[in-house]
Amino acid sequence: MPSLRSRVLSAALVAVGRRRRFASAEAVRDRVARAARRPASHLPPRRLGRVADISRTFVGAWPVYDVCPRGAEPSAQVLYVHGGGYVDELDRPHWELVRTLVVRARARVVVPAYTLAPRGTADRTVPIATDLLSGLIASGGDGGTVLIGDSAGAGLALAAAQRLRDRDGEQPSRIVLISPWLDVTVSHPDQAALEAADPVLARAGLREAGRLYAGTLAPDDPRVNPLHGGFAGLAPMTVFTGTRDVLTTDSRELLRRAREDGAEVEFHEAAGLPHGYPLLPLPEGRAARARIVELVRSAGAA
């Protein structure tokens, strides 16, 4: 049973029209057009600078933020890939998760503000994310490296881990996927029923955002749909999903395929919780973040 706070928040998300962002293909195209005219900021909030040292470099056209605990040696490092349907920038909940990892896990967190669709398509984005992950692993020395992604960022993170495995045989210490969006076609037969209860996402807009991100690639290309990338040889994975999320079918399919391939998966499916709940100010979100902190600490201690 979800907490009262979770039920209230889900109702509030519906009331404020949060789902309208993905209500239709036209709604997504309009948002993309507005962002092209007036790009949203991806800058970290000022309050993060009170507890962390923040620097920025560029990897090609990507601004990449390096966030380290102030006055302390990091015990682990994280590559965090943000969500937003491949069309939205880093936002406050993403930076709040970064803050949690820096303060509570004493982690160095590397945060790419990757190029959004339609300029940033999977054929360009996945190789850059792979190189970032490889470089972070190489720079880690004895410390562990955890790859974390939420929603669309989880799809990009998983595709990068698969590409790195195939290219170099390398892997991070662990992969953490929060409400992962893995199949951009949004075509699972169970998703129609799930959509009716989802306060955040709708299939029509997701399909359009996925089409923009896929670019010229086929929808079953592993760079676009990492469910087709194979799971053997990947780092241990931890997956969080909620049952009021139209994308929970992707997490369940990941679990099935990963187990078939002999991959290790720690799976958390929270009854009645919406998309991205580990990033939300909910009791269940706090519990999920506590587990993520624990996993990052464990990677650093290994």
Side-chain angles (χ1 to χ4, degrees):
M1 173 71 71
S3 65
L4 174 61
R5 187 176 179 87
S6 172
R7 298 196 298 273
V8 170
L9 179 61
S10 291
L13 290 171
V14 172
V16 301
R18 182 68 182 268
R19 188 163 140 178
R20 284 200 295 269
R21 300 180 311 136
F22 288 97
S24 66
E26 291 77 14
V28 169
R29 288 195 292 269
D30 287 347
R31 283 218 326 283
V32 168
R34 287 196 302 271
R37 294 192 299 269
R38 192 171 187 176
S41 173
H42 48 67
L43 293 172
R46 289 183 180 178
R47 68 187 296 264
L48 183 58
R50 299 173 193 159
V51 297
D53 294 320
I54 306 170
S55 60
R56 185 176 69 175
T57 57
F58 284 84
V59 176
W62 290 15
V64 178
Y65 296 94
D66 198 325
V67 188
C68 292
R70 177 161 289 177
E73 188 69 23
S75 60
Q77 50 187 10
V78 170
L79 177 62
Y80 172 57
V81 190
H82 74 90
Y86 297 114
V87 296
D88 288 335
E89 275 294 1
L90 282 150
D91 204 351
R92 179 191 288 182
H94 305 130
W95 287 117
E96 285 299 315
L97 179 59
V98 171
R99 188 180 193 278
T100 295
L101 295 171
V102 169
V103 173
R104 295 178 54 195
R106 208 157 53 82
R108 170 197 180 197
V109 187
V110 174
V111 187
Y114 55 87
T115 303
L116 301 174
R119 289 195 303 121
T121 49
D123 58 333
R124 302 171 181 174
T125 302
V126 173
I128 300 172
T130 303
D131 289 343
L132 267 175
L133 177 59
S134 179
L136 195 59
I137 293 170
S139 70
D142 295 331
T145 299
V146 179
L147 174 62
I148 301 177
D150 76 272
S151 193
L156 174 52
L158 181 57
Q162 290 169 336
R163 184 180 177 92
L164 185 61
R165 172 203 59 195
D166 296 341
R167 189 185 76 184
D168 301 329
E170 288 184 306
Q171 283 295 281
S173 306
R174 179 167 289 271
I175 302 167
V176 178
L177 305 176
I178 300 168
S179 300
W181 183 21
L182 306 175
D183 179 0
V184 297
T185 67
V186 200
S187 57
H188 193 283
D190 293 343
Q191 287 179 321
L194 286 166
E195 181 182 41
D198 189 324
V200 178
L201 300 175
R203 290 176 296 163
L206 286 171
R207 289 194 190 106
E208 179 63 11
R211 183 189 70 81
L212 294 174
Y213 177 65
T216 60
L217 297 179
D220 61 352
D221 188 297
R223 288 168 290 180
V224 175
N225 183 344
L227 289 173
H228 292 281
F231 293 90
L234 290 181
M237 289 177 284
T238 298
V239 179
F240 296 89
T241 189
T243 61
R244 292 193 69 183
D245 182 355
V246 71
L247 298 180
T248 197
T249 52
D250 289 8
S251 295
R252 294 170 181 169
E253 187 65 16
L254 179 154
L255 179 64
R256 183 184 70 80
R257 296 190 187 204
R259 285 178 171 171
E260 287 179 351
D261 287 349
E264 179 183 332
V265 184
E266 174 188 321
F267 193 75
H268 302 269
E269 182 174 290
L273 270 293
H275 181 75
Y277 80 89
L279 277 65
L280 299 177
L282 303 170
E284 298 91 343
R286 286 193 292 273
R289 292 191 295 276
R291 179 57 184 153
I292 295 169
V293 166
E294 184 180 21
L295 291 167
V296 173
R297 286 175 175 167
S298 296

